[in-house]
Amino acid sequence: MQLFSIFGNPVAHSKSPLMHNSVFKKCNYNACYTRTHLLDGSKLKETFFKLGLSGANVTVPHKEAAYQACDEVRGFAKSIGVVNTLINENGRLIGYNTDADGFLYSIKEFGKIKNVLILGAGGTAKALATKFLQNNIETTILNRSFNRLHYFKELGCEATTWNDFKSIHYTLVINTTSAGLNDNELPAPNELLDTILQNTDFVADAIYGKITPFLQKAKDYNLTYKDGADMLLGQGVLANELFVSYSIEKEEIQKAMQKSFLL
Ligand code: NDP
Protein backbone atom coordinates (compact mmCIF):
# COMPACT_ATOMS: atom_id res chain seq x y z
CA MET A 1 0.00 0.00 0.00
CA GLN A 2 1.25 3.50 -0.83
CA LEU A 3 1.23 6.13 1.90
CA PHE A 4 0.61 9.87 1.40
CA SER A 5 0.40 12.72 3.90
CA ILE A 6 -0.08 16.43 4.35
CA PHE A 7 2.55 18.45 6.23
CA GLY A 8 1.56 21.63 8.03
CA ASN A 9 1.44 23.59 11.26
CA PRO A 10 -1.43 23.65 12.10
CA VAL A 11 -2.69 20.64 10.16
CA ALA A 12 -5.54 19.22 12.24
CA HIS A 13 -8.11 21.27 10.26
CA SER A 14 -6.99 19.93 6.86
CA LYS A 15 -9.57 18.25 4.66
CA SER A 16 -6.89 16.77 2.40
CA PRO A 17 -6.89 13.29 4.04
CA LEU A 18 -10.64 13.01 3.53
CA MET A 19 -10.43 14.25 -0.08
CA HIS A 20 -7.62 11.96 -1.21
CA ASN A 21 -8.79 8.91 0.73
CA SER A 22 -12.23 9.30 -0.89
CA VAL A 23 -10.60 9.04 -4.33
CA PHE A 24 -8.42 6.06 -3.33
CA LYS A 25 -11.44 4.23 -1.91
CA LYS A 26 -13.84 5.02 -4.76
CA CYS A 27 -11.28 4.09 -7.41
CA ASN A 28 -9.86 1.02 -5.61
CA TYR A 29 -6.41 2.58 -5.51
CA ASN A 30 -4.25 0.84 -2.89
CA ALA A 31 -3.18 3.87 -0.87
CA CYS A 32 -3.82 5.75 2.35
CA TYR A 33 -3.44 9.48 3.10
CA THR A 34 -2.66 10.78 6.58
CA ARG A 35 -1.65 14.08 8.23
CA THR A 36 1.70 15.07 9.77
CA HIS A 37 2.05 17.97 12.18
CA LEU A 38 5.48 19.38 11.31
CA LEU A 39 6.92 22.12 13.51
CA ASP A 40 10.26 22.58 11.76
CA GLY A 41 10.19 22.94 7.94
CA SER A 42 13.87 22.05 7.67
CA LYS A 43 12.93 18.50 8.81
CA LEU A 44 10.49 18.03 5.93
CA LYS A 45 12.61 15.86 3.64
CA GLU A 46 13.93 13.69 6.46
CA THR A 47 10.40 13.16 7.82
CA PHE A 48 8.98 12.43 4.34
CA PHE A 49 11.43 9.57 3.75
CA LYS A 50 11.31 8.31 7.36
CA LEU A 51 7.55 7.86 6.96
CA GLY A 52 8.08 6.00 3.68
CA LEU A 53 5.78 8.31 1.76
CA SER A 54 5.03 8.05 -1.95
CA GLY A 55 3.85 11.64 -2.05
CA ALA A 56 2.60 14.53 0.06
CA ASN A 57 0.95 17.90 0.14
CA VAL A 58 2.41 20.83 2.01
CA THR A 59 0.47 23.62 3.65
CA VAL A 60 1.12 26.70 5.78
CA PRO A 61 3.91 27.57 6.74
CA HIS A 62 6.17 25.04 4.97
CA LYS A 63 5.65 25.56 1.21
CA GLU A 64 8.85 27.53 0.71
CA ALA A 65 10.79 25.03 2.87
CA ALA A 66 9.31 22.30 0.65
CA TYR A 67 10.77 24.01 -2.42
CA GLN A 68 14.19 24.06 -0.74
CA ALA A 69 13.88 20.39 0.22
CA CYS A 70 13.28 19.10 -3.33
CA ASP A 71 15.85 17.29 -5.47
CA GLU A 72 13.98 18.61 -8.51
CA VAL A 73 11.16 21.11 -8.99
CA ARG A 74 8.91 20.92 -12.05
CA GLY A 75 6.50 23.19 -13.91
CA PHE A 76 4.90 26.27 -12.39
CA ALA A 77 6.51 25.68 -8.94
CA LYS A 78 9.87 26.46 -10.53
CA SER A 79 8.88 30.01 -11.39
CA ILE A 80 7.58 30.79 -7.89
CA GLY A 81 9.83 28.86 -5.52
CA VAL A 82 6.79 27.44 -3.73
CA VAL A 83 5.87 23.75 -3.59
CA ASN A 84 2.55 22.29 -2.38
CA THR A 85 2.87 18.77 -3.80
CA LEU A 86 5.74 16.30 -3.37
CA ILE A 87 6.32 13.04 -5.21
CA ASN A 88 8.80 10.30 -4.33
CA GLU A 89 10.29 9.37 -7.68
CA ASN A 90 12.70 6.49 -7.10
CA GLY A 91 14.01 8.04 -3.87
CA ARG A 92 14.21 11.56 -5.29
CA LEU A 93 11.93 14.28 -3.98
CA ILE A 94 10.11 16.02 -6.85
CA GLY A 95 8.15 19.23 -6.21
CA TYR A 96 5.10 20.73 -7.95
CA ASN A 97 2.63 23.54 -7.33
CA THR A 98 -1.07 22.98 -8.00
CA ASP A 99 -2.47 25.90 -5.94
CA ALA A 100 -2.61 28.59 -8.61
CA ASP A 101 -4.37 26.50 -11.25
CA GLY A 102 -6.71 25.29 -8.51
CA PHE A 103 -7.57 28.89 -7.70
CA LEU A 104 -8.10 29.95 -11.33
CA TYR A 105 -10.51 27.04 -11.68
CA SER A 106 -12.40 28.23 -8.59
CA ILE A 107 -13.02 31.80 -9.82
CA LYS A 108 -14.20 30.94 -13.34
CA GLU A 109 -17.76 31.89 -12.36
CA PHE A 110 -16.63 35.50 -11.62
CA GLY A 111 -16.06 36.02 -15.36
CA LYS A 112 -13.38 38.31 -16.74
CA ILE A 113 -11.08 39.66 -14.02
CA LYS A 114 -9.43 43.03 -14.79
CA ASN A 115 -7.49 43.58 -11.59
CA VAL A 116 -6.90 41.83 -8.28
CA LEU A 117 -5.87 42.89 -4.79
CA ILE A 118 -4.10 40.14 -2.87
CA LEU A 119 -3.92 40.48 0.92
CA GLY A 120 -0.74 38.75 2.13
CA ALA A 121 2.65 38.08 0.62
CA GLY A 122 3.35 34.45 1.47
CA GLY A 123 3.53 31.32 -0.64
CA THR A 124 -0.09 31.41 -1.79
CA ALA A 125 0.19 35.07 -2.76
CA LYS A 126 3.31 34.29 -4.83
CA ALA A 127 1.56 31.48 -6.68
CA LEU A 128 -1.57 33.50 -7.40
CA ALA A 129 0.23 36.74 -8.34
CA THR A 130 2.45 34.94 -10.84
CA LYS A 131 -0.51 33.13 -12.38
CA PHE A 132 -2.55 36.36 -12.59
CA LEU A 133 0.27 38.27 -14.27
CA GLN A 134 0.73 35.39 -16.73
CA ASN A 135 -2.98 35.84 -17.52
CA ASN A 136 -2.60 39.64 -17.99
CA ILE A 137 -4.51 40.50 -14.79
CA GLU A 138 -3.19 43.61 -12.99
CA THR A 139 -2.13 42.51 -9.51
CA THR A 140 -1.57 44.47 -6.29
CA ILE A 141 -0.14 43.03 -3.07
CA LEU A 142 -1.03 44.45 0.34
CA ASN A 143 0.90 43.04 3.29
CA ARG A 144 1.31 43.96 6.97
CA SER A 145 5.11 43.90 6.76
CA PHE A 146 7.63 45.20 4.23
CA ASN A 147 10.22 42.44 3.82
CA ARG A 148 8.47 40.21 1.31
CA LEU A 149 7.29 43.01 -0.99
CA HIS A 150 10.47 43.31 -3.07
CA TYR A 151 9.82 39.94 -4.71
CA PHE A 152 6.40 41.08 -5.91
CA LYS A 153 7.67 44.42 -7.24
CA GLU A 154 10.29 42.57 -9.27
CA LEU A 155 7.53 40.36 -10.60
CA GLY A 156 5.56 43.36 -11.90
CA CYS A 157 2.97 43.86 -9.15
CA GLU A 158 2.12 46.97 -7.20
CA ALA A 159 3.14 46.04 -3.65
CA THR A 160 2.69 48.05 -0.46
CA THR A 161 2.22 47.82 3.29
CA TRP A 162 -0.94 49.03 5.02
CA ASN A 163 0.45 52.53 5.66
CA ASP A 164 1.29 53.34 2.03
CA PHE A 165 -1.78 51.81 0.40
CA LYS A 166 -4.06 53.85 -1.91
CA SER A 167 -7.23 51.96 -2.73
CA ILE A 168 -8.75 51.84 -6.24
CA HIS A 169 -11.55 49.75 -7.70
CA TYR A 170 -10.78 45.99 -7.81
CA THR A 171 -12.63 43.21 -9.61
CA LEU A 172 -11.49 40.76 -6.96
CA VAL A 173 -9.95 40.97 -3.48
CA ILE A 174 -8.43 37.78 -2.05
CA ASN A 175 -7.30 37.05 1.48
CA THR A 176 -4.21 34.82 1.32
CA THR A 177 -3.05 35.62 4.85
CA SER A 178 -3.62 33.14 7.65
CA ALA A 179 -5.60 35.77 9.61
CA GLY A 180 -8.88 34.09 10.52
CA LEU A 181 -7.55 30.54 10.16
CA ASN A 182 -7.18 29.89 13.88
CA ASP A 183 -8.16 33.25 15.29
CA ASN A 184 -10.67 36.02 14.76
CA GLU A 185 -8.24 38.47 13.21
CA LEU A 186 -8.79 40.53 10.06
CA PRO A 187 -6.05 40.45 7.40
CA ALA A 188 -5.70 44.27 7.51
CA PRO A 189 -6.99 47.11 9.73
CA ASN A 190 -10.78 47.34 9.83
CA GLU A 191 -11.06 50.86 8.36
CA LEU A 192 -8.71 49.99 5.51
CA LEU A 193 -10.82 46.94 4.66
CA ASP A 194 -13.96 49.11 4.76
CA THR A 195 -12.46 51.38 2.10
CA ILE A 196 -11.37 48.42 -0.04
CA LEU A 197 -14.59 46.43 0.15
CA GLN A 198 -16.76 49.44 -0.72
CA ASN A 199 -15.03 49.46 -4.09
CA THR A 200 -14.81 45.77 -5.01
CA ASP A 201 -16.89 43.38 -7.16
CA PHE A 202 -15.92 39.97 -5.76
CA VAL A 203 -14.20 38.62 -2.67
CA ALA A 204 -12.42 35.34 -2.01
CA ASP A 205 -10.62 33.81 0.95
CA ALA A 206 -8.05 31.03 0.64
CA ILE A 207 -9.20 29.74 4.03
CA TYR A 208 -11.96 27.19 3.73
CA GLY A 209 -14.71 25.63 5.83
CA LYS A 210 -15.56 28.74 7.81
CA ILE A 211 -16.71 32.31 7.48
CA THR A 212 -13.56 34.21 8.43
CA PRO A 213 -13.93 37.73 9.88
CA PHE A 214 -12.84 38.94 6.41
CA LEU A 215 -15.60 37.01 4.62
CA GLN A 216 -18.07 38.19 7.25
CA LYS A 217 -17.22 41.77 6.30
CA ALA A 218 -17.72 40.94 2.60
CA LYS A 219 -21.07 39.41 3.52
CA ASP A 220 -22.01 42.55 5.48
CA TYR A 221 -21.28 44.59 2.33
CA ASN A 222 -23.50 42.23 0.28
CA LEU A 223 -20.60 41.26 -1.95
CA THR A 224 -20.42 37.97 -3.85
CA TYR A 225 -17.80 35.93 -2.03
CA LYS A 226 -16.40 32.45 -1.76
CA ASP A 227 -14.20 30.64 0.70
CA GLY A 228 -11.24 28.47 -0.31
CA ALA A 229 -13.18 25.20 -0.73
CA ASP A 230 -13.19 25.25 -4.56
CA MET A 231 -9.51 26.22 -4.60
CA LEU A 232 -8.86 23.30 -2.29
CA LEU A 233 -10.78 21.01 -4.62
CA GLY A 234 -8.94 22.32 -7.70
CA GLN A 235 -5.45 21.93 -6.22
CA GLY A 236 -6.44 18.54 -4.76
CA VAL A 237 -7.60 17.11 -8.08
CA LEU A 238 -4.34 18.18 -9.76
CA ALA A 239 -2.25 16.78 -6.87
CA ASN A 240 -4.13 13.48 -6.91
CA GLU A 241 -3.45 13.06 -10.62
CA LEU A 242 0.25 13.25 -9.72
CA PHE A 243 -0.15 10.82 -6.79
CA VAL A 244 -1.76 8.15 -8.99
CA SER A 245 0.54 8.89 -11.96
CA TYR A 246 -2.48 9.87 -14.09
CA SER A 247 -3.90 6.33 -13.84
CA ILE A 248 -7.36 7.65 -12.88
CA GLU A 249 -9.44 9.99 -15.10
CA LYS A 250 -9.50 13.59 -13.85
CA GLU A 251 -13.34 13.60 -13.90
CA GLU A 252 -13.42 10.49 -11.66
CA ILE A 253 -11.02 12.13 -9.20
CA GLN A 254 -13.05 15.32 -9.15
CA LYS A 255 -16.36 13.49 -8.61
CA ALA A 256 -15.00 11.45 -5.69
CA MET A 257 -13.34 14.48 -4.09
CA GLN A 258 -16.39 16.66 -4.47
CA LYS A 259 -18.46 14.05 -2.64
CA SER A 260 -16.00 14.10 0.26
CA PHE A 261 -16.92 17.76 0.87
CA LEU A 262 -20.41 16.58 1.85
CA LEU A 263 -19.12 14.14 4.50
P1 NDP B 1 2.46 31.94 4.40
O1 NDP B 1 2.84 31.62 5.80
O2 NDP B 1 3.40 31.67 3.31
O3 NDP B 1 2.06 33.51 4.31
C1 NDP B 1 1.20 34.08 5.22
C2 NDP B 1 0.99 35.57 4.90
O4 NDP B 1 -0.04 36.00 5.79
C3 NDP B 1 2.19 36.47 5.14
O5 NDP B 1 2.22 37.48 4.14
C4 NDP B 1 1.92 37.10 6.51
O6 NDP B 1 2.41 38.41 6.63
C5 NDP B 1 0.41 37.17 6.48
N1 NDP B 1 -0.21 37.11 7.80
C6 NDP B 1 -0.18 36.07 8.68
N2 NDP B 1 -0.93 36.37 9.77
C7 NDP B 1 -1.44 37.60 9.56
C8 NDP B 1 -2.28 38.45 10.32
N3 NDP B 1 -2.75 38.09 11.51
N4 NDP B 1 -2.63 39.66 9.80
C9 NDP B 1 -2.17 40.03 8.58
N5 NDP B 1 -1.35 39.28 7.82
C10 NDP B 1 -1.00 38.08 8.31
O7 NDP B 1 1.04 31.18 4.16
P2 NDP B 1 0.45 30.52 2.83
O8 NDP B 1 0.51 31.51 1.74
O9 NDP B 1 1.00 29.18 2.62
O10 NDP B 1 -1.09 30.27 3.26
C11 NDP B 1 -1.92 31.36 3.58
C12 NDP B 1 -3.36 30.92 3.84
O11 NDP B 1 -3.95 30.34 2.68
C13 NDP B 1 -3.50 29.85 4.94
O12 NDP B 1 -4.58 30.22 5.76
C14 NDP B 1 -3.76 28.57 4.18
O13 NDP B 1 -4.53 27.68 4.97
C15 NDP B 1 -4.57 29.09 3.00
N6 NDP B 1 -4.47 28.23 1.81
C16 NDP B 1 -5.60 27.63 1.29
C17 NDP B 1 -5.54 26.84 0.16
C18 NDP B 1 -6.78 26.21 -0.38
O14 NDP B 1 -6.67 25.26 -1.14
N7 NDP B 1 -7.95 26.71 -0.06
C19 NDP B 1 -4.28 26.60 -0.54
C20 NDP B 1 -3.17 27.31 0.03
C21 NDP B 1 -3.26 28.06 1.18
P3 NDP B 1 3.98 38.74 6.99
O15 NDP B 1 4.71 38.70 5.69
O16 NDP B 1 3.88 40.10 7.58
O17 NDP B 1 4.40 37.69 7.98
Side-chain angles (χ1 to χ4, degrees):
M1 178 184 273
Q2 286 182 278
L3 184 63
F4 298 88
S5 188
I6 177 155
F7 290 95
N9 179 25
V11 78
H13 69 284
S14 173
K15 271 196 186 325
S16 290
L18 190 61
M19 289 161 56
H20 290 280
N21 283 326
S22 296
V23 178
F24 297 149
K25 186 155 187 272
K26 177 81 184 21
C27 302
N28 292 319
Y29 194 85
N30 192 17
C32 180
Y33 190 112
T34 179
R35 51 167 69 89
T36 308
H37 186 199
L38 185 74
L39 296 174
D40 179 357
S42 70
K43 299 274 190 316
L44 181 65
K45 189 172 188 176
E46 180 188 329
T47 313
F48 180 99
F49 286 111
K50 228 186 239 169
L51 291 171
L53 299 179
S54 298
N57 289 120
V58 184
T59 187
V60 66
H62 299 313
K63 291 184 187 185
E64 280 150 335
Y67 174 85
Q68 298 297 336
C70 286
D71 295 305
E72 186 185 334
V73 176
R74 292 187 187 150
F76 183 66
K78 252 199 314 206
S79 48
I80 54 171
V82 179
V83 159
N84 82 322
T85 303
L86 296 165
I87 300 290
N88 179 349
E89 203 175 273
N90 306 316
R92 294 180 76 238
L93 198 58
I94 313 294
Y96 298 86
N97 188 293
T98 66
D99 281 333
D101 281 324
F103 188 80
L104 276 193
Y105 159 87
S106 81
I107 57 164
K108 269 199 181 123
E109 68 199 64
F110 291 162
K112 188 171 163 43
I113 308 283
K114 178 179 175 282
N115 62 356
V116 170
L117 175 66
I118 298 178
L119 308 174
T124 309
K126 270 186 188 175
L128 297 188
T130 307
K131 213 20 129 188
F132 288 142
L133 291 175
Q134 285 176 357
N135 284 271
N136 298 318
I137 297 169
E138 292 160 32
T139 305
T140 303
I141 299 288
L142 179 58
N143 198 41
R144 67 176 172 188
S145 63
F146 181 77
N147 278 352
R148 304 192 207 216
L149 296 183
H150 181 68
Y151 175 93
F152 291 92
K153 287 181 184 162
E154 291 283 295
L155 204 62
C157 300
E158 289 278 324
T160 68
T161 56
W162 299 341
N163 290 341
D164 300 326
F165 183 67
K166 304 249 178 321
S167 189
I168 57 166
H169 179 270
Y170 294 100
T171 316
L172 174 64
V173 177
I174 311 160
N175 174 32
T176 72
T177 77
S178 31
L181 181 64
N182 280 320
D183 51 42
N184 282 322
E185 286 184 36
L186 284 165
N190 196 29
E191 307 71 45
L192 187 54
L193 289 176
D194 281 331
T195 313
I196 292 166
L197 293 180
Q198 280 165 26
N199 214 0
T200 295
D201 297 333
F202 302 108
V203 167
D205 202 316
I207 296 168
Y208 57 85
K210 68 189 281 192
I211 297 285
T212 57
F214 174 66
L215 283 188
Q216 185 58 50
K217 274 189 85 67
K219 202 172 169 189
D220 294 343
Y221 276 109
N222 278 327
L223 292 167
T224 303
Y225 66 90
K226 60 163 53 200
D227 75 359
D230 285 349
M231 176 183 183
L232 181 72
L233 176 68
Q235 64 77 31
V237 169
L238 300 177
N240 196 275
E241 280 191 297
L242 290 164
F243 292 158
V244 302
S245 310
Y246 297 91
S247 62
I248 306 173
E249 290 289 323
K250 192 182 211 153
E251 290 67 30
E252 286 294 302
I253 295 175
Q254 181 163 338
K255 247 196 277 171
M257 260 191 198
Q258 225 150 10
K259 276 199 184 146
S260 75
F261 280 74
L262 304 172
L263 295 174

